[in-house]
Structures are given as structure tokens and as C-alpha cells.
Amino acid sequence: MINLFKIKGQKKDDAATANGKPAAKKQSPGELRLHKDIAELNLPMTTKISFPNGKDDLMNFEATIKPDEGYYVGGKFVFTFQVPPAYPHEPPKVKCKTKVYHPNIDLEGNVCLNILREDWKPVLNINTIVYGLNLLFSQPNDEDPLNHEAAAVLRDDPNKFEKNVHRAMAGGYVGETHFPRCM
């Protein structure tokens, strides 16, 4: 019985290529869900989504966030999303391409956002992650840091933290670390 399905599928593929059309690529359940998530995106005004590899590669895209409140006003931060085939059962891998002085983003671009780790649930979606990333810029969290030095400064001296953020965004040094301009 299974062989009949294989033969039927092969005949369909052969008929499609005989008509001069390439056989349609079957989408994984993760791609289908991601397509739905992207179609239903309700992005904040501070965020834009782009597909550097073209619309045929929905599983890899970028989100650009330009915060309009908090310490990071005026900055421009780019995040890459790599969505696994097992999405939504596994969360996307999200990295910050922009080097940033932030308690929840380390200098390699790793992002500390609970919904990307232990609190991920299949009911969550790309929109939820985008709003979570925006929240990191309006309310950085010094209690669960990846950049412990930035978290300590935020906790102990918020004025110094604000000066460090502005220096970093302007393309300066914070301590020994140089940050490229992101304004």
C-alpha cells in the first residue's frame, strides 16, 4: 500500500516537470506555522522585519529595533532570527548583530530573554519575541544578566549606566570595550 503512494507522488512530480514547472517544495509544519505568524505580525512602530535571503527563506530573517523610550532612544539594533524546523515546539535562535552595552545582551550578541529559553511554549510566536526584545530596551533587567558588569552599573549607579549606554551608542569605549556607532 505504501508503495502505491510513492508511485502516485512520483507520477505527480513527473507530470509537473513535464509541464515545464518545477515540482512544488513541500513546507514543513514549522514553515507553515512561521508563514502564519509572519502574516499575522502586529509590529510596534519601533520595529521592522526584513528577509536578507529573500522571501523564499522565511526561516531566517532580521528584526531592526529603534527604541523610542528609555536609555536606548535613538539607537538602531539588528537581531537575527533562525527558526528551527521544529518551530513552534522549539524557540527561534535570536542574536543581536549590533554590539550593545546592555545587561541582557552579551558582547557576542546572545540575548537573555526567558521566553527564548525555559519559558518557551508552542503557543508563543514571533510577535511575542519582538515585543519581548522591545521590552528589553525600555526596561533592561539587572536581575538576570548576561553582561554582569552592565547589570551591576545599572543596579548601583543608573546615571553612570545611562552615560555608558550613550557613549557606547555614539561609537565610543566603555572600559576596555569599543562599541561601533549605532545611532
Side-chain angles (χ1 to χ4, degrees), residues 52-119:
N53 301 332
K55 293 280 185 183
D56 291 337
D57 185 10
L58 292 182
M59 303 299 271
N60 297 287
F61 60 93
E62 293 181 349
T64 302
I65 297 176
K66 296 179 181 180
D68 61 359
E69 63 180 341
Y71 296 110
Y72 298 90
V73 169
K76 178 180 174 183
F77 307 95
V78 179
F79 292 85
T80 59
F81 284 65
Q82 291 181 314
V83 183
Y87 178 78
H89 300 288
E90 292 178 16
K93 303 275 187 262
V94 178
K95 290 198 73 125
C96 186
K97 285 176 61 173
T98 309
K99 192 172 184 180
V100 60
Y101 180 78
H102 195 291
N104 309 111
I105 302 171
D106 68 18
L107 298 177
E108 286 77 44
N110 298 307
V111 179
C112 183
L113 188 62
N114 62 338
I115 60 171
L116 292 174
R117 301 177 306 171
E118 70 274 359
D119 290 344

Side-chain angles (χ1 to χ4, degrees), residues 69-73 101 103 140 150 152-170 174 183:
E69 63 180 341
Y71 296 110
Y72 298 90
V73 169
Y101 180 78
V153 175
L154 174 60
R155 182 176 45 253
D156 301 337
D157 190 350
N159 290 331
K160 181 179 179 184
F161 179 79
E162 184 171 11
K163 288 176 184 167
N164 287 349
V165 167
H166 288 276
R167 187 177 307 121
M169 287 179 16
V174 176
M183 298 176 85

